[in-house]
Amino acid sequence: MKKKLVQQVSASFKEKFGAEPGHIFLSPGRINIIGEHVDYNDGFVLPAAINKYVCFAVSENGTSNVNLYAKDLDQSYSFNLNDALQPGDTMWANFFLGVAHLIKERGLTLSGVDVVFSSTIPMGAGLSSSAAVECGFAFALNNIYSLGLSKEEIALIGQKSEHTFVGVNCGIMDQFASVFGKKNKVIKLDCNNLDHEYHSADFKEYSLLLLDSKVKHTLLESGYNDRRNEVEQGLAKLKAQYPEINTFRDLSEAQVEACKDLLGDVVYRRCLFVVREIQRVLDAVSALEKEDFKKLGELMFATHNGLSKNYEVSCEELDFLADAVRNDENVLGARMMGGGFGGCTINLVKKDAVNGIIERVAAAYKEKFNIKLEAYKIKISKGTSVYKNEHAGI
Ligand code: GLA
């Protein structure tokens, strides 16, 4: 599938720009085992890059223009690097404009490029196609123009571009996972200081299965930024109450409970979720280390409940998908994944039961919502990388 994507993007580049592309880059989507909505709350997360990619074919063009062609949308967009770059009405172009702007802002010198890109990461499915685009473009420019940006800087540029040019106040998880992914490893990321360690993603007789609700989420239109405001308010009140704490990580559940009235019902539930979720990630990492997949699965279900009832970022369809496998002996855990309000559930499923479960859940889902469920059997893969360089060849 990766090869086919590369071939198609290369062919499209040749057609658009009249020559073979000088460079090919692959930038992956991500999953997250556990640790949802805690990356912007000083928590830990456990994501991994997957074998679904945005592929970029790129050549230097000797001008100051960036000429983009979004193959999947059949749309073109150009901008001049010498102009003051600002977000515009073409949403997808804002990812590129933002990245170029932030690189210029660092005082680094850029020249023009021709770009064709296409993706096998389904959009709006909670697999971070936008982070893959932002970081992939930053990675490409860094590589072609030897800008000297570290992987961490590339991830941070991607995140800031999302904040300033897209308008989503996201955390760092998606960009970090896309850039730092490693084959068959999950990343335990400390979102406080970006310290990270890799853990084996070998689930033995179990595997990860994504079930796509096909309910498209866009974080811009969803309650994502509202959630950020709610927890910010909550933390300010909690800090006033407990001057010794700095972040959610320093708080115990009991401390949050004790402030229920002060916080008010909604903010209380948001804060309770955050404190519990931070702990769940730590528990999940130790379960993973012990190969206690049953425990890991229980934690995933608990996360779903918290996201649905307390953080309120699930939806009827995602709840249905989690419930549909809850009592299945071949499924250890399931939960909605990513920002929420649509997208996928991630399921830890006995390998030889995967196909049966897809069939069963798809039928029930179709019956209930008249939506055709999509299932992805994903593999954990390496992060953003060069597929082809002018001098290296394919
Ligand atoms: C989106 C954001 C991430 C993270 C998740 C929820 O994917 O981009 O930063 O907050 O939602 O865990």
Side-chain angles (χ1 to χ4, degrees):
M1 204 164 79
K2 183 156 90 180
K3 240 192 168 148
K4 194 166 154 217
L5 175 69
V6 170
Q7 277 165 359
Q8 286 172 346
V9 174
S10 302
S12 172
F13 187 95
K14 199 165 178 194
E15 199 180 297
K16 279 276 151 198
F17 297 109
E20 294 287 342
H23 315 262
I24 304 270
F25 302 93
L26 286 171
S27 192
R30 66 101 189 87
I31 51 158
N32 184 24
I33 308 288
I34 200 161
E36 221 61 271
H37 285 273
V38 287
D39 59 347
Y40 55 87
N41 283 316
D42 293 297
F44 305 92
V45 292
L46 203 56
I50 56 171
N51 60 336
K52 292 191 177 292
Y53 307 92
V54 178
C55 176
F56 299 83
V58 190
S59 283
E60 300 92 316
N61 62 22
T63 74
S64 56
N65 289 326
V66 172
N67 302 313
L68 305 166
Y69 177 62
K71 179 175 174 294
D72 304 338
L73 303 170
D74 189 22
Q75 282 179 21
S76 298
Y77 189 96
S78 290
F79 61 89
N80 190 316
L81 287 164
N82 295 329
D83 290 344
L85 302 180
Q86 275 169 357
D89 294 336
T90 309
M91 280 311 284
W92 64 264
N94 289 338
F95 296 124
F96 293 84
L97 285 160
V99 165
H101 171 78
L102 290 165
I103 290 178
K104 273 173 62 183
E105 208 179 58
R106 285 172 177 249
L108 298 168
T109 309
L110 283 179
S111 299
V113 277
D114 296 333
V115 181
V116 172
F117 71 100
S118 169
S119 174
T120 52
I121 310 170
M123 273 167 59
L127 301 179
S128 298
S129 52
S130 38
V133 174
E134 294 146 7
C135 295
F137 186 51
F139 185 97
L141 293 175
N142 188 45
N143 183 279
I144 293 172
Y145 291 119
S146 305
L147 302 176
L149 296 167
S150 67
K151 277 162 74 167
E152 194 173 302
E153 285 172 309
I154 289 173
L156 288 167
I157 286 174
Q159 181 196 25
K160 195 160 178 202
S161 147
E162 186 95 19
H163 289 183
T164 52
F165 273 62
V166 183
V168 176
N169 231 348
C170 64
I172 188 66
M173 171 170 76
D174 305 347
Q175 291 79 9
F176 200 94
S178 184
V179 176
F180 281 82
K182 264 194 192 171
K183 196 171 176 195
N184 295 333
K185 301 279 180 200
V186 293
I187 311 167
K188 180 193 169 203
L189 172 65
D190 180 337
C191 301
N192 227 340
N193 53 17
L194 301 188
D195 278 355
H196 56 284
E197 56 192 40
Y198 293 92
H199 291 261
S200 165
D202 179 358
F203 303 99
K204 305 292 170 191
E205 70 264 41
Y206 293 91
S207 64
L208 295 171
L209 171 69
L210 305 182
L211 297 178
D212 188 348
S213 68
K214 291 296 194 71
V215 178
K216 297 270 175 213
H217 80 155
T218 90
L219 294 183
L220 197 54
E221 287 151 17
S222 73
Y224 190 89
N225 289 347
D226 298 338
R227 292 298 173 279
R228 283 209 70 156
N229 294 334
E230 288 160 355
V231 286
E232 218 168 89
Q233 275 174 38
L235 186 61
K237 287 187 179 166
L238 288 160
K239 272 184 174 170
Q241 200 68 8
Y242 308 109
E244 70 281 9
I245 68 128
N246 286 317
T247 70
F248 275 109
R249 199 181 293 189
D250 309 324
L251 280 160
S252 68
E253 237 180 275
Q255 283 175 309
V256 178
E257 300 268 8
C259 293
K260 190 169 176 179
D261 292 341
L262 175 79
L263 295 169
D265 179 55
V266 170
V267 174
Y268 160 72
R269 285 185 291 118
R270 306 293 189 252
C271 295
L272 190 63
F273 168 79
V274 170
V275 169
R276 287 179 174 167
E277 183 70 355
I278 291 175
Q279 184 57 46
R280 271 192 290 262
V281 179
L282 299 177
D283 295 345
V285 172
S286 73
L288 197 58
E289 284 295 285
K290 288 186 214 135
E291 297 186 355
D292 185 350
F293 304 122
K294 190 164 168 282
K295 174 75 187 164
L296 180 64
E298 284 165 11
L299 291 162
M300 290 167 73
F301 276 127
T303 290
H304 184 83
N305 291 345
L307 288 165
S308 176
K309 303 277 178 322
N310 284 339
Y311 217 68
E312 294 182 287
V313 290
S314 186
C315 60
E316 208 190 329
E317 293 85 351
L318 288 170
D319 286 347
F320 181 91
L321 292 177
D323 284 343
V325 296
R326 206 178 283 274
N327 296 318
D328 190 315
E329 57 178 12
N330 292 314
V331 182
L332 293 184
R335 63 177 199 81
M336 57 143 280
M337 189 181 73
F341 308 102
C344 295
T345 58
I346 178 168
N347 302 262
L348 189 56
V349 180
K350 196 102 182 242
K351 279 180 184 154
D352 55 18
V354 165
N355 289 336
I357 283 167
I358 297 174
E359 219 172 283
R360 177 175 72 73
V361 178
Y365 194 65
K366 172 92 184 144
E367 163 98 31
K368 170 87 179 162
F369 297 104
N370 199 22
I371 302 176
K372 190 173 176 294
L373 184 80
E374 192 101 27
Y376 313 121
K377 301 173 190 170
I378 41 97
K379 286 199 181 113
I380 294 187
S381 308
K382 70 173 171 187
T384 318
S385 63
V386 180
Y387 188 85
K388 166 192 157 173
N389 246 341
E390 220 149 22
H391 307 295
I394 291 194

